[in-house]
Amino acid sequence: MDTSTSYLGLRLPHPFIAGASPMGRRLDSVKRLEDAGWAAIVLHSLFEEQITDATEGRIRHMDPLDRGFARELAYFPGAGDYPLGPDAYAEHVSHLKRAVAIPVIASLNGSSPESWLKFARIIEQAGADALELNLYEVVTSFAVPAATVEQKLAGIVTELKRILTIPIAVKVSPFFTAFGNVARRLEAAGADGLVLFNRFYQPDIDIKTMTPVVNVALSDSSELRLRLQWLAILHGRVRPSLAVSGGVATPDDGIKAILAGADAVQIVSALLRHGPTYLNAMRAGLERWMAWHHMEWLEEVRGKASLERVADAESFERAQYIRTLQSWLG
Ligand SMILES: Cc1cc2nc3c(=O)[nH]c(=O)nc-3n(C[C@H](O)[C@H](O)[C@H](O)COP(=O)(O)O)c2cc1C
């Protein structure tokens, strides 16, 4: 049985990748992932704010010496609160590349098409096999229209493609009015892969203190459905390879993601919950399922439940929506 796959032009023995998380911070935990058999690892992110702070002495448009920004700047962690500064991050990539054989995908996290992107060259020179660009942004301005936001995101990818030779995956949010068009624009900008989707860490509210509470909640399978829907819509219709990120909690979830059209399956919450050896269950589940269905190649599985052959996906989606509501038998 052959479960090998291609993601960002990287040939992988199977589709399961350790997604961006604290597991990438230390050499010993990356080694544990390699020993357990993970196909590749995405490192934790280096943030735009860290790079501009270190190289230009500002965070976003704010100069830390300007008292007018004291309140906004206090929201950000101090330079020493990040696990690795920009130079240390590049060194870390270089160490990892000497220590492990699995592909190492570095992660840059930001939202402006500015000078910090040049740091990507340093990460490439450090030996990263690919770059995942996390375009995390919550646009709160009432003056900026969606088209401007989308153009800016595509512009960041265009700029990076000009300076890099390694492949670039773009991790984006699902909250676009017409995500198919956004995917096309990222493709036209040169994106080699799309990671569906960023998970937003929406704050809760503490009713005792009446203040927002920020904490990381690990995901469960319920988050997968949104990803399945867009994988199924995009599969076969865009050139970049597709990775799922979000809600792959069980071996069945992994199979569903591939059936919808994923080339690679990124896992974080299940990895943090169960440890690196959870990969064995993910691989065994997929292989057992393929054997049961007499399938020998992952290619036979991929996209089998996608909308690739549906002529009018929009009508299909609408029909499924109506059917869903009608299916309630109460
Ligand atoms: C503790 C923690 C740290 C994370 N750090 C990063 C990060 O540095 N960069 C990033 O792009 N995503 C980060 N993520 C998001 C994950 O890569 C992933 O997209 C998200 O957890 C959804 O996948 P999952 O359902 O398998 O957990 C982090 C997630 C967790 C739980």
Side-chain angles (χ1 to χ4, degrees):
M1 184 173 301
D2 183 354
T3 59
S4 67
T5 187
S6 177
Y7 175 57
L8 305 175
L10 304 166
R11 198 72 206 152
L12 307 177
H14 60 78
F16 301 113
I17 293 180
S21 85
M23 292 293 289
R25 289 181 191 168
R26 291 181 28 194
L27 177 59
D28 60 342
S29 48
V30 175
K31 278 206 162 134
R32 277 173 62 214
L33 292 172
E34 176 174 55
D35 291 345
W38 290 82
I41 175 164
V42 185
L43 299 186
H44 64 289
S45 296
L46 179 63
F47 296 91
E48 170 182 351
E49 290 78 0
Q50 286 180 270
I51 300 172
T52 58
D53 191 16
T55 56
E56 296 161 36
R58 66 179 173 83
I59 292 178
R60 300 181 76 81
H61 55 283
M62 300 172 288
D63 178 348
L65 298 178
D66 184 337
R67 290 212 178 160
F69 294 129
R71 207 184 148 136
E72 285 78 5
L73 286 165
Y75 298 144
F76 288 90
D81 298 330
Y82 293 96
L84 297 171
D87 292 333
Y89 190 93
E91 266 169 45
H92 183 55
V93 171
S94 162
H95 280 150
L96 290 178
K97 279 307 295 173
R98 273 181 267 133
V100 298
I102 53 172
V104 173
I105 302 172
S107 166
L108 273 185
N109 195 316
S111 63
S112 78
E114 292 176 18
S115 55
W116 67 280
L117 288 171
K118 296 209 179 75
F119 202 82
R121 273 288 291 151
I122 295 173
I123 290 174
E124 177 177 82
Q125 282 157 359
D129 293 281
L131 182 74
E132 187 173 285
L133 180 65
N134 186 332
L135 297 175
Y136 184 97
E137 182 176 38
V138 178
V139 182
T140 57
S141 165
F142 289 12
V144 181
T148 308
V149 177
E150 293 167 11
Q151 198 172 336
K152 184 182 75 169
L153 298 185
I156 296 176
V157 177
T158 306
E159 174 149 346
L160 271 183
K161 283 303 283 186
R162 262 194 315 109
I163 56 178
L164 294 187
T165 56
I166 54 173
I168 301 173
V170 188
K171 189 172 182 180
V172 278
S173 125
F175 301 120
F176 291 96
T177 305
F179 183 67
N181 181 263
V182 172
R184 273 275 155 78
R185 289 174 75 162
L186 295 172
E187 169 185 308
D192 301 281
L194 300 175
V195 182
L196 314 182
F197 285 116
N198 231 326
R199 208 165 152 246
F200 281 69
Y201 294 103
Q202 292 129 336
D204 199 358
I205 293 178
D206 182 332
I207 59 170
K208 262 198 236 128
T209 60
M210 293 179 274
T211 52
V213 188
V214 183
N215 56 8
V216 179
L218 297 181
S219 72
D220 59 43
S221 302
S222 64
E223 294 194 23
L224 184 63
R225 288 185 177 205
L226 177 68
R227 276 89 181 160
L228 294 180
Q229 182 177 34
W230 276 104
L231 285 166
I233 294 170
L234 296 186
H235 173 77
R237 290 191 161 97
V238 290
R239 185 190 45 77
S241 39
L242 300 176
V244 65
S245 174
V248 177
T250 66
D252 286 3
D253 293 338
I255 297 165
K256 290 177 193 177
I258 300 162
L259 281 169
D263 298 293
V265 176
Q266 294 194 5
I267 300 175
V268 169
S269 293
L271 167 60
L272 297 178
R273 253 191 208 110
H274 309 297
T277 54
Y278 195 60
L279 175 71
N280 296 334
M282 296 300 299
R283 290 190 74 178
L286 173 62
E287 286 173 15
R288 253 198 315 271
W289 182 90
M290 284 173 68
W292 177 258
H293 289 275
H294 307 290
M295 291 176 172
E296 280 178 47
W297 315 95
L298 202 66
E299 228 32 67
E300 297 171 74
V301 184
R302 194 181 347 268
K304 222 175 165 50
S306 76
L307 301 192
E308 191 178 9
R309 278 180 253 292
V310 174
D312 183 351
E314 214 154 285
S315 301
F316 179 83
E317 289 292 334
R318 182 86 197 144
Q320 294 301 316
Y321 164 70
I322 297 170
R323 275 167 174 271
T324 310
L325 298 185
Q326 302 293 357
S327 69
W328 180 256
L329 299 174

